[in-house]
Amino acid sequence: MCKKNKPTNQKEMSFIEKARRAQIVECAIETIAEVGYAQASLGQIAKRAKISKGVISYHFANKEELLEQIAIEYYLAWQSYIAPRVEVQKSPKEMLRVYIESNLTFVDENRKHVFAVIEMVSNKITADGKLQFAADHDEVVLLPIENILTQGMQEGVFREFTRPSARVMALTIRNAIDGFTMELMRKPHLDIQEYTRELITIFDASTKK
Amino acid sequence: MCKKNKPTNQKEMSFIEKARRAQIVECAIETIAEVGYAQASLGQIAKRAKISKGVISYHFANKEELLEQIAIEYYLAWQSYIAPRVEVQKSPKEMLRVYIESNLTFVDENRKHVFAVIEMVSNKITADGKLQFAADHDEVVLLPIENILTQGMQEGVFREFTRPSARVMALTIRNAIDGFTMELMRKPHLDIQEYTRELITIFDASTKK
Amino acid sequence: MCKKNKPTNQKEMSFIEKARRAQIVECAIETIAEVGYAQASLGQIAKRAKISKGVISYHFANKEELLEQIAIEYYLAWQSYIAPRVEVQKSPKEMLRVYIESNLTFVDENRKHVFAVIEMVSNKITADGKLQFAADHDEVVLLPIENILTQGMQEGVFREFTRPSARVMALTIRNAIDGFTMELMRKPHLDIQEYTRELITIFDASTKK
Amino acid sequence: MCKKNKPTNQKEMSFIEKARRAQIVECAIETIAEVGYAQASLGQIAKRAKISKGVISYHFANKEELLEQIAIEYYLAWQSYIAPRVEVQKSPKEMLRVYIESNLTFVDENRKHVFAVIEMVSNKITADGKLQFAADHDEVVLLPIENILTQGMQEGVFREFTRPSARVMALTIRNAIDGFTMELMRKPHLDIQEYTRELITIFDASTKK
DNA sequence: AATGAATGAGGTTTCATTCAT
DNA sequence: TATGAATGAAACCTCATTCAT
């Protein structure tokens, strides 16, 4: 029995088990990206994966856990892409530039996955009306950018943002990136370089002292 | 017969008919705002309105028409709120400031309605995979802000944005507003004035020559 | 209150009441003829009549009574067309010829009405599984032809049919006529004269001594 | 995956799948035969089969496919019963006799199935007002009898029928058989042998030179 | 006499989930 | 482990019928 395994005890999973889960998650991502969250039934996902619906239920306690896994994998991939690129920068200004740059590149190179998560964040309102999932998303995603901004303030290279934690500025940058993602979904042939350059210009100007 | 009436022939509706439709739309808005788009079934909406499911079907040809009406009412309310406030301004800089300001105020005063539309835009992926509805939304909503930016460029008070039509800058502003909306849903006690002030600062700086 | 009036006490109806009922029945016939029994909802009928659904319910106790009325009017029209033409004939052979001839002509000249009744007969199975309506139809419709056949037997101009009442022969003739009706519905440009001639030939030969 | 399988690829179905489909089809036939086409909802059929409505949807893409299957099975059974009996006959006259005889016997031995199909043919008017299904039925069912008649004409043992293809004569024979079917439904204790004998007499006389 | 409005049962279909094999 | 089969709730929609006006 592997059901009801929370992600926390994933150490107990066998290699093959992890591989199967990964495969299913991959198919779920593609399905959501292609047909949208609302249409992404387990049946659809199973069909794409060429497995039976039951398999999904076997490996994941329920649909929610599967979706959760998509988010988890996304965050891990995202962090391991962004963090090292940002950290090697010398100045907050450079860090901000690279943050924006690498985010847009990451989106471009992981369109399906990113789109799937965006879809999920948009839709995931839990039954009891809370926005838990989306909130988590924001907290995790917002932190790095807030750190850059705070550091810039402390070093005196950025202007003073509204406190605490330059939240508005951070959110605006995040919204710009997420909004870009959705625009990219609508218009896949967007000129990403142009978009990147302009966004950097915008936020360079708006953080400058 | 009120079914299948396209918005264009809404003149033919009786007063009482319009009132009933308005009431149902109102309940639909509340339902979407509270439980989210995915959970907002006709049953849920009817329950909140304390009417039978059939009543909705009586007044609206189908669910789609009901949702469409929500969007239509939203745009009308939004336009009649924003447009006059922006138009009386003298300079593009002032117009931009008032655009941001009035948008945030509008969101604050119409939380449920705005949230419902945001939810719908996020979810409306038509069966054939296109993003028609969302695309329309963007085009309609993006235009006014693009006009302000273009005017500012021509008058030489704004810097040169990427062409055509300052699309990236406009989108970034829109994303900031929509993102604020979602943040407000998550944290209803947000300090809106502070948020407004900071957003104006941000986009003032990023449009300046 | 006119509801629940059985056809038997139709004497009590006002002139205007009868006219209204007749109008509704007419529209019901057209509707059934055009969209088929299954799709002929009260809504459809009302739309064609350009009245509200409620009017129908006002004049007829329920849908069943309306349909019954269609059948009644049909039988009256049918009888008053066929009977006099058949009765003036001298010999059973001539009566049979005229019966077939006038039936096909009647069908041709009352296509919608006839088709509607055929549709109803095909569909009218009462809830408790009996075929009351269709059975009545047969009894009423079969009688005249049976009389002709019996008379011909007694006069010695027709062969001996299986008794009692030459039922099989009568039914076969009726089936030929009803089957022609449905064929006419499928192929409205049928050559009716040719069809008539051939049917007369067929049943002339099959009744001959 | 068994859904949306057209009859052509039914080879791909597992044995158990075919068995289940057959069982459901069987129950559908019984239901239509007992309560009539109009009342034969999936719910009714499921209830009779003592399964959930979902099972039917699982095995058949939709209601239409289920009904189609009833017709397909009927035609196959009918053809494999009639054809060999007719073909071994020497003369057209004998073929016609056996055609009528075996049709009535087939109806007698497959009352429910035949009745169900008759019901369906009567009711199947497609949404766009055409009689496609019924038309197909007629074409397929009419052909064998037309062939017999044509052959008889060419051999000079039958009289000259109206051309082309002795359509009226063929239709009359078909109508006699279908009409007998409905009469049998209304009066299950009909003397079939008597009926058969008389029908043969009728059509023997009416085809004779 | 007529209407518009409302109802609620019932239709088909989809889907997450369970279970025996 | 994996599967196909089955379930039943819930979705949207249609419709005959009722009722206040």
Side-chain angles (χ1 to χ4, degrees):
Chain A
M1 283 296 287
C2 72
K3 288 188 181 185
K4 291 177 185 171
N5 274 349
K6 287 283 160 197
T8 48
N9 53 9
Q10 63 186 236
K11 311 291 180 192
E12 297 168 21
M13 287 183 211
S14 74
F15 171 74
I16 205 163
E17 166 71 8
K18 279 195 286 188
R20 207 78 169 100
R21 281 174 66 104
Q23 181 213 339
I24 294 170
V25 167
E26 193 57 37
C27 288
I29 289 169
E30 278 177 23
T31 306
I32 294 176
E34 281 175 39
V35 304
Y37 179 86
Q39 309 299 326
S41 68
L42 289 189
Q44 279 288 321
I45 296 168
K47 188 181 291 177
R48 246 156 246 262
K50 282 168 191 163
I51 55 177
S52 84
K53 268 189 301 179
V55 185
I56 299 177
S57 291
Y58 181 77
H59 289 285
F60 295 90
N62 46 39
K63 198 183 186 182
E64 210 179 349
E65 200 204 310
L66 170 57
L67 299 178
E68 219 168 49
Q69 198 58 34
I70 293 179
I72 290 168
E73 288 198 8
Y74 166 78
Y75 290 129
L76 294 178
W78 177 76
Q79 279 185 312
S80 68
Y81 186 91
I82 306 295
R85 280 167 177 77
V86 169
E87 282 162 9
V88 297
Q89 302 306 316
K90 300 289 175 356
S91 71
K93 187 179 136 115
E94 282 302 290
M95 290 168 92
L96 179 58
R97 183 183 59 75
V98 171
Y99 180 84
I100 293 169
E101 214 168 67
S102 55
N103 262 285
L104 265 57
T105 308
F106 180 79
V107 166
D108 184 32
E109 289 173 357
N110 299 276
R111 293 179 179 219
K112 285 180 184 174
H113 203 157
V114 177
F115 185 40
V117 172
I118 294 272
E119 274 283 286
M120 286 167 55
V121 171
S122 299
N123 285 277
K124 253 303 162 186
I125 297 183
T126 57
D128 43 33
K130 287 170 200 160
L131 287 147
Q132 195 50 51
F133 184 83
D136 283 355
H137 172 83
D138 267 27
E139 291 316 313
V140 171
V141 157
L142 234 44
L143 215 59
I145 177 74
E146 285 187 349
N147 289 340
I148 295 173
L149 294 173
T150 309
Q151 191 184 334
M153 272 199 291
Q154 287 165 351
E155 295 185 10
V157 295
F158 287 165
R159 67 175 175 86
E160 291 290 308
F161 307 113
T162 59
R163 319 276 187 125
S165 73
R167 165 61 52 121
V168 181
M169 188 72 238
L171 212 52
T172 304
I173 294 170
R174 235 2 273 176
N175 289 336
I177 292 165
D178 290 339
F180 157 77
T181 305
M182 305 204 72
E183 183 74 353
L184 184 62
M185 296 308 144
R186 289 188 289 262
K187 297 161 190 161
H189 300 302
L190 221 63
D191 183 335
I192 291 156
Q193 299 223 331
E194 181 191 75
Y195 211 107
T196 306
R197 230 179 302 120
E198 180 78 355
L199 272 193
I200 290 172
T201 304
I202 290 170
F203 291 111
D204 204 43
S206 61
T207 52
K208 200 160 47 189
K209 202 154 193 176
Chain B
M1 275 296 101
C2 69
K3 289 188 179 185
K4 289 179 183 170
N5 272 349
K6 287 285 159 195
T8 49
N9 54 6
Q10 64 185 235
K11 311 289 180 191
E12 298 169 20
M13 286 184 211
S14 73
F15 171 74
I16 204 162
E17 166 70 8
K18 279 195 286 189
R20 205 76 170 103
R21 278 174 68 103
Q23 182 213 335
I24 293 170
V25 166
E26 193 58 37
C27 287
I29 288 169
E30 278 177 23
T31 307
I32 294 177
E34 282 177 38
V35 304
Y37 178 87
Q39 308 300 325
S41 66
L42 290 188
Q44 279 289 321
I45 295 168
K47 189 181 291 176
R48 243 155 251 262
K50 282 169 191 162
I51 55 177
S52 85
K53 271 187 298 180
V55 185
I56 299 177
S57 291
Y58 177 76
H59 290 283
F60 296 89
N62 46 39
K63 196 183 186 182
E64 210 179 350
E65 199 204 309
L66 171 57
L67 298 178
E68 215 171 51
Q69 199 58 33
I70 293 180
I72 289 168
E73 287 197 9
Y74 167 77
Y75 288 129
L76 294 179
W78 177 79
Q79 277 185 312
S80 67
Y81 187 92
I82 306 296
R85 282 168 176 76
V86 169
E87 282 163 10
V88 297
Q89 303 306 315
K90 300 291 179 346
S91 71
K93 185 179 138 110
E94 282 301 289
M95 290 168 93
L96 180 57
R97 182 182 60 75
V98 170
Y99 180 84
I100 293 169
E101 213 168 68
S102 55
N103 261 285
L104 264 58
T105 309
F106 180 79
V107 167
D108 185 30
E109 290 172 357
N110 300 276
R111 295 181 178 217
K112 284 179 184 173
H113 203 158
V114 177
F115 185 42
V117 173
I118 293 272
E119 272 285 284
M120 285 167 56
V121 171
S122 300
N123 283 278
K124 259 298 164 185
I125 298 184
T126 58
D128 42 33
K130 286 170 199 163
L131 286 147
Q132 195 49 52
F133 185 83
D136 284 352
H137 172 83
D138 268 26
E139 291 316 313
V140 171
V141 155
L142 235 45
L143 214 60
I145 177 75
E146 285 188 350
N147 288 340
I148 295 173
L149 295 173
T150 308
Q151 191 184 334
M153 271 199 291
Q154 288 165 350
E155 294 186 10
V157 297
F158 287 166
R159 66 176 176 86
E160 291 291 309
F161 307 113
T162 58
R163 318 271 185 130
S165 73
R167 167 62 52 122
V168 181
M169 188 73 237
L171 212 51
T172 304
I173 294 170
R174 232 7 268 178
N175 289 336
I177 292 165
D178 291 339
F180 157 77
T181 305
M182 306 205 73
E183 182 75 353
L184 184 62
M185 297 306 143
R186 289 187 289 262
K187 296 161 190 159
H189 301 302
L190 221 63
D191 183 334
I192 290 156
Q193 298 223 329
E194 181 191 75
Y195 210 106
T196 305
R197 229 181 301 121
E198 180 77 354
L199 272 194
I200 290 172
T201 305
I202 289 171
F203 290 111
D204 203 43
S206 60
T207 52
K208 202 161 43 189
K209 202 152 191 178
Chain C
M1 280 297 285
C2 73
K3 288 189 181 184
K4 290 178 186 169
N5 274 348
K6 285 286 158 195
T8 50
N9 53 9
Q10 63 185 240
K11 309 290 180 191
E12 298 169 19
M13 286 184 212
S14 73
F15 171 74
I16 205 164
E17 166 71 9
K18 280 196 286 188
R20 207 78 169 98
R21 279 173 67 103
Q23 182 212 340
I24 293 170
V25 166
E26 193 57 36
C27 287
I29 288 169
E30 276 176 26
T31 307
I32 294 177
E34 280 175 41
V35 304
Y37 179 86
Q39 308 300 326
S41 67
L42 290 188
Q44 280 288 321
I45 295 168
K47 189 181 290 175
R48 247 156 246 261
K50 282 170 190 159
I51 55 177
S52 86
K53 268 190 300 178
V55 186
I56 300 177
S57 291
Y58 180 76
H59 290 283
F60 296 89
N62 46 39
K63 197 182 186 183
E64 211 179 350
E65 199 204 311
L66 170 57
L67 298 178
E68 220 168 48
Q69 198 59 33
I70 293 179
I72 289 168
E73 287 198 7
Y74 166 77
Y75 289 130
L76 294 179
W78 176 78
Q79 277 184 313
S80 67
Y81 186 91
I82 306 296
R85 281 167 177 77
V86 168
E87 282 162 9
V88 297
Q89 302 307 315
K90 301 289 177 352
S91 71
K93 185 179 138 114
E94 281 302 290
M95 290 169 90
L96 178 58
R97 182 183 60 76
V98 170
Y99 180 85
I100 293 170
E101 214 169 67
S102 55
N103 261 284
L104 264 58
T105 309
F106 180 78
V107 166
D108 184 31
E109 290 173 357
N110 300 275
R111 293 180 179 218
K112 284 181 185 174
H113 204 158
V114 177
F115 186 40
V117 173
I118 293 273
E119 274 283 284
M120 286 167 56
V121 172
S122 300
N123 285 278
K124 253 300 160 185
I125 297 183
T126 58
D128 42 34
K130 286 169 200 161
L131 287 147
Q132 195 51 50
F133 184 84
D136 284 354
H137 171 84
D138 268 26
E139 291 316 313
V140 171
V141 154
L142 234 45
L143 215 60
I145 177 75
E146 284 186 351
N147 288 340
I148 295 172
L149 295 173
T150 309
Q151 191 184 333
M153 270 198 293
Q154 288 165 350
E155 294 186 9
V157 297
F158 287 166
R159 66 174 175 87
E160 292 291 308
F161 307 114
T162 59
R163 319 276 185 124
S165 73
R167 165 62 52 122
V168 181
M169 188 72 237
L171 211 52
T172 304
I173 295 170
R174 240 355 280 176
N175 290 335
I177 292 165
D178 291 340
F180 157 77
T181 305
M182 306 204 71
E183 183 75 354
L184 183 62
M185 297 306 145
R186 289 187 289 262
K187 296 160 190 161
H189 301 303
L190 220 64
D191 183 334
I192 291 157
Q193 299 222 329
E194 181 192 76
Y195 210 107
T196 307
R197 229 179 303 122
E198 180 78 355
L199 272 193
I200 290 172
T201 304
I202 290 171
F203 290 112
D204 204 43
S206 61
T207 52
K208 202 160 46 188
K209 201 153 189 178
Chain D
M1 278 295 103
C2 70
K3 289 188 180 186
K4 290 180 184 170
N5 273 349
K6 287 284 160 197
T8 49
N9 54 6
Q10 64 186 234
K11 312 289 180 191
E12 297 169 22
M13 287 183 212
S14 73
F15 172 74
I16 204 161
E17 167 70 8
K18 279 194 287 188
R20 205 75 170 103
R21 279 174 67 104
Q23 183 213 337
I24 293 170
V25 166
E26 193 57 36
C27 287
I29 288 169
E30 277 177 24
T31 307
I32 294 177
E34 282 176 39
V35 304
Y37 178 88
Q39 308 300 325
S41 67
L42 291 189
Q44 279 289 321
I45 295 168
K47 190 181 291 176
R48 242 156 251 262
K50 282 169 190 161
I51 55 177
S52 83
K53 270 186 298 181
V55 186
I56 299 177
S57 291
Y58 178 76
H59 289 283
F60 296 88
N62 46 39
K63 195 183 185 182
E64 210 180 350
E65 200 204 310
L66 172 56
L67 299 178
E68 215 170 52
Q69 199 58 34
I70 293 179
I72 290 169
E73 287 196 8
Y74 165 77
Y75 289 128
L76 295 178
W78 177 78
Q79 278 185 313
S80 67
Y81 186 92
I82 307 296
R85 281 168 177 77
V86 169
E87 282 163 9
V88 297
Q89 302 306 315
K90 300 290 175 355
S91 71
K93 186 179 139 111
E94 282 302 288
M95 289 169 94
L96 179 58
R97 182 184 59 77
V98 170
Y99 180 84
I100 293 169
E101 214 169 68
S102 55
N103 262 284
L104 265 58
T105 309
F106 179 79
V107 167
D108 184 30
E109 289 173 357
N110 300 276
R111 293 180 178 219
K112 285 180 183 172
H113 203 158
V114 177
F115 186 42
V117 173
I118 294 272
E119 273 285 284
M120 285 168 56
V121 171
S122 300
N123 284 277
K124 258 299 164 185
I125 298 184
T126 58
D128 41 33
K130 286 169 200 162
L131 287 147
Q132 195 50 52
F133 184 83
D136 284 353
H137 172 83
D138 268 27
E139 291 316 313
V140 171
V141 155
L142 235 44
L143 214 60
I145 177 74
E146 285 187 351
N147 289 339
I148 295 172
L149 295 172
T150 308
Q151 191 185 334
M153 272 198 291
Q154 288 165 348
E155 295 185 9
V157 296
F158 286 165
R159 66 175 176 85
E160 291 291 307
F161 307 114
T162 59
R163 319 272 185 129
S165 73
R167 166 63 52 123
V168 181
M169 188 74 236
L171 212 52
T172 304
I173 294 170
R174 232 8 269 179
N175 289 336
I177 292 165
D178 291 340
F180 157 76
T181 306
M182 306 205 73
E183 182 75 353
L184 184 62
M185 296 308 145
R186 290 188 288 262
K187 297 160 190 159
H189 301 303
L190 220 63
D191 183 335
I192 290 156
Q193 298 222 330
E194 182 193 76
Y195 209 108
T196 307
R197 229 179 303 120
E198 180 78 354
L199 273 192
I200 289 172
T201 304
I202 289 170
F203 291 110
D204 203 42
S206 60
T207 52
K208 200 159 47 188
K209 205 154 189 176

